[in-house]
């Protein structure tokens, strides 16, 4: 890589009260530097009014996702050297979500849809009963395990063109959550899950374009989870039971 | 009709259409071998219960399948919502059915 002193970083500024407009900063370049480092440098050294969100800085909390050169990414684990376009980077708020201010997207619709997809546990036992043993090698458990490392960063939701075209669509993360619960031996209401994902904007709105799986920073596969829900609802339609 | 029922209707109509499309194309290739004439086609189709049933079911499946697919496109691409979208899709479906039924009747009666 060629030697360079500075990066040209364009960030989108604005929010509900002010139209979004790009603002460009010159940021010192280092050998090891993440996109979140660059955004933090701007906020700490150039313009303290720049708004953005982060917490853990190690790819666990899912707070810092932004659009980087037009692609949704977790910025704390995205090296500048991997995304640099010439000597420039453009950073914006996540797509498909309202903007609170600058780089901070409003996550409410994302989490509201998580609830709408029935993404909550329906217990089989009360706290007074013994804990049910789980077979870790059961096929169902493997299926659930494949989706439970979601960090709710909303990268898949921002990458999804179906969400962009259909505001009712629940999106990949919420549907993958529903699929993990559907395969959880400790979940007592699978019909409620299938009802929720069969409603307006549910799994049947998915066009299987696969951006969710392509962009998930944790390399999860929401596309296959949604296909699983489609199969499960079709099976139930023909009278098949799990 | 719920979104799920529309989804199932579209998949099931596709299932019906798949063999029809293959037979339709196969017969076309076979039928034009000795040149193509209206008399030859009508000779095969007129009074035929088989071809009436074949293309009759084909038209019904196409009307259902296309109307549901266009309903999705009208929502995602043209921004139509709610009842307006359902009405436009229903008109398209009924229109396809009417045009198709007229054509089937014209060549088999």
């Amino acid at each position: 890589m060629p030697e360079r002193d500075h990066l040209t970083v364009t960030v989108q500024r604005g929010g509900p009260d002010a139209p979004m407009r790009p603002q460009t900063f010159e940021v010192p370049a280092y050998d090891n530097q993440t996109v979140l480092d660059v955004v933090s440098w701007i906020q700490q050294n150039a313009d303290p009014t720049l708004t953005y969100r982060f917490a853990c800085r190690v790819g666990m909390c899912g707070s810092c996702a932004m659009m980087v050169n037009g692609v949704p990414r977790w910025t704390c684990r995205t090296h500048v050297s991997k995304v640099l376009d010439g000597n420039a980077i453009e950073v914006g708020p996540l797509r498909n979500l309202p903007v609170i201010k600058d780089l901070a997207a409003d996550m409410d619709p994302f989490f509201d849809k998580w609830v709408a997809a029935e993404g909550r546990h329906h217990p089989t036992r009360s706290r007074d009963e013994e804990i049910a043993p789980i077979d870790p090698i059961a096929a169902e458990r493997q299926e659930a395990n494949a989706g439970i490392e979601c960090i709710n960063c909303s990268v898949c939701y921002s990458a999804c063109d179906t969400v962009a075209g259909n505001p009712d669509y629940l999106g990949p993360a919420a549907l993958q959550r529903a699929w993990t619960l559907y395969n959880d031996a400790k979940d007592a209401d699978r019909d409620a899950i299938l009802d929720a994902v069969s409603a307006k904007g549910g799994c049947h709105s998915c066009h299987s374009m696969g951006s969710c799986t392509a962009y998930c920073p944790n390399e999860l596969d929401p596309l296959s989870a949604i296909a699983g829900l489609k199969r499960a609802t079709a099976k139930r339609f023909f009278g098949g039971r799990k | 009709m719920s979104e799920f029922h529309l989804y199932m209707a579209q998949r099931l109509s596709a299932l019906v259409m798949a063999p029809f499309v293959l037979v339709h194309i196969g017969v076309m290739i076979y039928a034009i071998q000795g040149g193509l004439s209206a008399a030859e086609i009508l000779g095969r189709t007129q009074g035929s219960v088989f071809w009436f049933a074949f293309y009759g079911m084909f038209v019904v499946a196409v009307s259902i399948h296309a109307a549901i697919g266009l309903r999705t496109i009208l929502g995602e691409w043209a921004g139509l919502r709610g009842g307006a979208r359902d009405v436009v899709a229903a008109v398209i479906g009924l229109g396809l059915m009417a045009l198709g039924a007229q054509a089937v009747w014209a060549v088999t009666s």
Side-chain angles (χ1 to χ4, degrees), chain A:
Chain A
M1 207 182 308
E3 287 286 321
R4 56 177 191 270
D5 298 337
H6 283 81
L7 310 167
T8 304
V9 181
T10 304
V11 290
Q12 292 293 328
R13 308 294 303 269
D17 304 323
M20 296 303 283
R21 61 181 174 81
Q23 188 176 3
T24 302
F25 298 90
E26 292 295 314
V27 179
Y30 301 105
D31 286 340
N32 284 306
Q33 198 171 20
T34 66
V35 174
L36 183 62
D37 292 335
V38 166
V39 172
S40 295
W41 187 94
I42 295 172
Q43 197 269 338
Q44 286 164 12
N45 298 285
D47 185 348
T49 68
L50 178 68
T51 302
Y52 65 111
R53 187 192 287 122
F54 76 97
C56 76
R57 298 173 298 154
V58 291
M60 289 176 69
C61 74
S63 305
C64 70
M66 300 169 202
M67 302 300 286
V68 181
N69 288 344
V71 172
R73 292 185 182 277
W74 50 355
T75 56
C76 72
R77 298 289 298 271
T78 302
H79 264 257
V80 164
S81 58
K82 291 267 163 60
V83 293
L84 215 48
D85 181 8
N87 199 35
I89 313 175
E90 197 193 330
V91 187
L94 279 177
R95 177 178 173 244
N96 292 341
L97 288 165
V99 178
I100 297 173
K101 182 174 170 284
D102 302 341
L103 303 175
D106 181 355
M107 302 289 280
D108 276 357
F110 177 76
F111 288 111
D112 287 346
K113 288 177 177 179
W114 192 275
V115 176
E118 200 62 28
R120 64 185 187 85
H121 178 55
H122 313 89
T124 48
R125 298 185 181 189
S126 75
R127 69 181 63 195
D128 302 318
E129 289 164 278
E130 265 197 52
I131 295 171
I134 290 294
D135 176 6
I137 57 165
E140 277 188 338
R141 189 62 239 164
Q142 300 286 327
E143 197 68 54
N145 283 349
I148 55 174
E149 297 297 337
C150 174
I151 59 172
N152 313 342
C153 64
S154 195
V155 161
C156 59
Y157 189 83
S158 295
C160 178
D161 286 339
T162 308
V163 172
N166 178 1
D168 295 325
Y169 179 46
L170 297 174
L175 291 169
Q176 179 173 248
R177 167 68 174 165
W179 178 240
T180 62
L181 288 168
Y182 182 77
N183 283 288
D184 189 339
K186 289 186 178 180
D187 198 284
D189 202 352
R190 290 172 171 180
D191 276 328
I193 295 168
L194 293 189
D195 287 344
V197 302
S198 296
K200 194 176 173 191
C203 64
H204 307 100
S205 301
C206 167
H207 296 309
S208 306
M209 288 186 278
S211 297
C212 48
T213 297
Y215 290 103
C216 174
N218 265 346
E219 298 182 352
L220 305 185
D221 187 6
L223 175 65
S224 298
I226 297 167
L229 287 173
K230 288 177 180 171
R231 274 197 303 277
T233 52
K235 233 183 234 175
R236 184 173 72 156
F237 177 76
F238 290 115
R241 287 277 151 182
K242 206 172 159 108

Side-chain angles (χ1 to χ4, degrees), chain B residues 67-89:
Chain B
I68 297 171
L70 286 170
R71 178 179 172 275
T72 302
I73 293 169
L74 286 169
E76 291 186 18
W77 179 76
L80 268 185
R81 302 257 158 240
R85 178 171 69 139
D86 292 337
V87 169
V88 173

